[in-house]
Amino acid sequence: MAENKWNITYKEICELKEEQYQIIDIRNEASAAYGMIPGAILIPQEELETRLQEVSKEKKIIFYCMRGIFSEECAETFREMGYDAYSLEGGYTSWLVELMKKEEVSKAEEVEESIRKKFHKRLFSRFAKAVREYELIQENDKIAVCISGGKDSMLMAKLFQELKKHNKFPFEIVYLVMDPGYSEVNRKLIESNAKLLDIPIQIFESDIFDAVFEVEKSPCYLCARMRRGHLYSKAKELGCNKIALGHHYDDVIETILMGMLYGAQVQTMMPKLHSTNFEGMELIRPMYLIREDDIKHWRDYHGLRFLQCACRFTDTCSVDGSGASKRQEVKHLIASLKETNPYVEGNIFKSVENVNLSTIIAYKEHGVKHHFLDDYDKI
C-alpha cells in the first residue's frame, strides 16, 4: 500500500480497469520527451490550471512527476477541488523500476541486429563516418566509453561494440560509469539497462552530488565539469588515452546557437579535444553526425526506457533560467525555423566550417584576440 492517502502504487494501478483512471504526466516537455508511461497525457504542472477541461472528474486522476514529489502537491490541490486525485508513489522512476523487473530477457541480440540492418544508415554509418572524418580513433587507442545511463550514451556503447567487430586495427574499449551519488533506484536502472543490452560496464563512485548540493549558481555546469574531471582521472588510471562522450548532431547545432544568442560568441562543440588538465588524454564525440530523432526512433523501436537525468536533485530543483531551459528554447527555435527553411539545421552545422576571417570583426586564437584593424592598412 502507498505510504500516504494521496499516493498510489504502480501495483495498485494495475489492479484497476483502464476506464477507471486517467494518468497525467506533469513533467516539462523536455523530460517527457525521454519517455512517458503508456496511456498518460502530458500536462506540465504550470499548465494544469489552464487545461482543467482535459482532467476528468469521473475517473481517478493519477499524477506523476520524476520521483513523486511535485505530483503529491498536485494530488492534494486537486482533491481540494473535488477530484479523486492521487500521486504515483515514486513517480516515473518507480514505474521504470517495475518495468525493468519484467524485462529479464536480454534485448542485446535484437538491438545489435537492428543496428546492422534497420538503423545501419542513420546510426552506424554516421557513427563510422564521424570516426573516420574526424580521425577519432587511432591504432592501439584505449577508449573509456563514458555511460551516463541515458539513451545517447547507451546507444554509443552499442555502436562501439559493433565497430569493434569491424575494426581494421587494434584498439581497446572500457565501458565506464561514474556514480556521483545516484539514488539506489537510479543506479539500479543504469545497471538493469546495461544488463538488458549486454554492455559490460565498470562502475566507480564519487561524491560530486554532495559537493554541489549547496551550490546555488549553475550547479549543473559545475557538476558537469567535475564529472568530466573524474572520468578523465579514472580513465587514465585504467590506462586509457581517450574518453568518449555521447553528444550528437543536435547538441552541436544547439550549442552553436546558444553561444551566439546567450554567450555573444561564435563557437561549436568540437568532435575531439585535447585535455588541458590531463596530459596525454583526449575527448572524442563519435555520435557527432547522428540526429537525435534517429536515436529516439531506435529507443522507441525496441521499447527501451532511459532516465533523462539520474541526478537525485532532478525533481526538487528549478531549471528556470538554466542551461537546460535555454537549450529547450533553442530546440524550439530551430524547429520553428525549419518550418520555413528545411535546410536550417545543416546550415547552422556548416556555418562553423565556413568561417571567412576576412569578414570577421575580431576572433580569438589560443586565447589571443585578433582585430580586423590590426592588419587593415597593411593591404
Side-chain angles (χ1 to χ4, degrees):
M1 292 291 292
E3 291 183 0
N4 79 37
K5 58 185 177 181
W6 293 309
N7 278 358
I8 186 170
T9 65
Y10 178 70
K11 183 178 179 180
E12 289 171 328
I13 294 174
C14 291
E15 293 171 354
L16 300 172
K17 295 180 180 179
E18 288 188 16
E19 61 269 21
Q20 292 180 308
Y21 63 88
Q22 180 182 32
I23 302 180
I24 299 177
D25 187 333
I26 65 166
R27 299 173 298 164
N28 59 35
E29 185 179 333
S31 297
Y34 284 78
M36 293 173 58
I37 295 176
I41 63 171
L42 176 64
I43 308 180
Q45 186 175 5
E46 64 273 15
E47 298 179 17
L48 281 170
E49 287 187 14
T50 60
R51 296 174 61 180
L52 285 176
Q53 72 278 8
E54 298 177 48
V55 185
S56 174
K57 276 198 172 183
E58 308 302 318
K59 300 180 179 181
K60 290 182 182 292
I61 304 303
I62 302 166
F63 296 106
Y64 75 87
C65 52
M66 184 64 78
R67 293 194 289 123
I69 296 174
F70 295 131
S71 54
E72 280 192 9
E73 299 173 8
C74 287
E76 182 177 359
T77 299
F78 271 72
R79 276 183 170 273
E80 292 172 354
M81 294 166 57
Y83 290 84
D84 188 16
Y86 299 85
S87 168
L88 174 59
E89 189 170 80
Y92 180 70
T93 301
S94 69
W95 175 78
L96 277 178
V97 170
E98 293 300 322
L99 190 68
M100 289 296 173
K101 290 178 181 177
K102 297 177 182 180
E103 294 183 333
E104 296 179 353
V105 180
S106 172
K107 287 193 175 185
E109 189 173 333
E110 70 171 74
V111 165
E112 290 162 9
E113 183 179 2
S114 75
I115 287 174
R116 290 191 294 270
K117 296 179 179 179
K118 182 177 179 64
F119 295 103
H120 186 274
K121 183 177 180 180
R122 292 189 173 274
L123 296 180
F124 186 74
S125 290
R126 293 180 181 180
F127 180 84
K129 181 180 178 181
V131 169
R132 182 176 61 254
E133 188 169 313
Y134 301 117
E135 301 178 354
L136 302 183
I137 302 176
Q138 279 78 39
E139 188 171 352
N140 298 321
D141 276 345
K142 187 172 182 180
I143 304 165
V145 177
C146 300
I147 299 173
S148 66
K151 68 185 191 312
D152 306 328
S153 60
M154 284 291 189
L155 172 59
M156 178 175 65
K158 296 307 297 180
L159 291 170
F160 262 109
Q161 287 180 332
E162 185 65 22
L163 183 68
K164 199 76 173 68
K165 297 174 184 177
H166 306 286
N167 61 293
K168 298 178 181 178
F169 51 80
F171 65 92
E172 295 182 57
I173 302 171
V174 175
Y175 300 96
L176 195 59
V177 175
M178 180 185 64
D179 182 344
Y182 293 144
S183 67
E184 183 181 354
V185 169
N186 285 338
R187 176 153 170 165
K188 283 182 178 178
L189 284 170
I190 294 173
E191 292 171 338
S192 295
N193 271 324
K195 183 178 180 181
L196 193 69
L197 295 173
D198 194 21
I199 302 170
I201 58 174
Q202 292 187 37
I203 302 178
F204 73 100
E205 298 177 354
S206 71
D207 59 355
I208 291 177
F209 284 172
D210 289 335
V212 301
F213 183 75
E214 300 295 338
V215 176
E216 294 184 6
K217 186 176 181 180
S218 302
C220 294
Y221 172 78
L222 178 60
C223 180
R225 290 294 299 270
M226 292 179 68
R227 284 162 70 106
R228 188 172 300 179
H230 278 72
L231 287 168
Y232 268 127
S233 180
K234 186 63 177 181
K236 191 166 186 177
E237 177 187 318
L238 293 173
C240 299
N241 63 312
K242 292 179 179 178
I243 66 171
L245 302 184
H247 298 115
H248 49 66
Y249 185 98
D250 295 73
D251 290 324
V252 176
I253 61 176
E254 290 159 14
T255 297
I256 293 170
L257 278 191
M258 286 175 68
M260 295 173 64
L261 301 177
Y262 300 109
Q265 57 189 338
V266 177
Q267 62 177 16
T268 190
M269 179 181 283
M270 298 296 288
K272 63 179 181 180
L273 290 167
H274 288 293
S275 172
T276 55
N277 298 317
F278 295 85
E279 187 177 354
M281 295 294 293
E282 195 173 355
L283 179 156
I284 61 174
R285 295 183 169 105
M287 305 270 282
Y288 204 78
L289 302 178
I290 295 178
R291 298 306 310 266
E292 185 174 26
D293 281 347
D294 293 324
I295 300 173
K296 290 178 180 178
H297 186 191
W298 166 81
R299 174 199 66 191
D300 297 342
Y301 179 80
H302 293 291
L304 298 169
R305 303 283 177 174
F306 304 108
L307 280 179
Q308 172 196 5
C309 175
C311 170
R312 69 169 182 253
F313 311 124
T314 297
D315 223 20
T316 57
C317 64
S318 169
V319 295
D320 293 340
S322 71
S325 62
K326 288 184 174 64
R327 187 168 291 275
Q328 196 62 25
E329 287 177 18
V330 170
K331 277 183 182 290
H332 286 304
L333 174 60
I334 293 173
S336 176
L337 293 171
K338 190 179 177 181
E339 291 177 4
T340 54
N341 178 6
Y343 305 106
V344 70
E345 293 159 313
N347 290 343
I348 295 171
F349 186 87
K350 293 175 183 176
S351 67
V352 291
E353 296 179 356
N354 299 316
V355 178
N356 186 343
L357 291 182
S358 64
T359 65
I360 298 295
I361 299 295
Y363 67 94
K364 287 183 179 179
E365 186 176 24
H366 304 305
V368 178
K369 186 173 182 177
H370 303 272
H371 198 277
F372 87 103
L373 288 177
D374 296 343
D375 300 310
Y376 182 76
D377 292 324
K378 296 179 182 178
I379 300 176

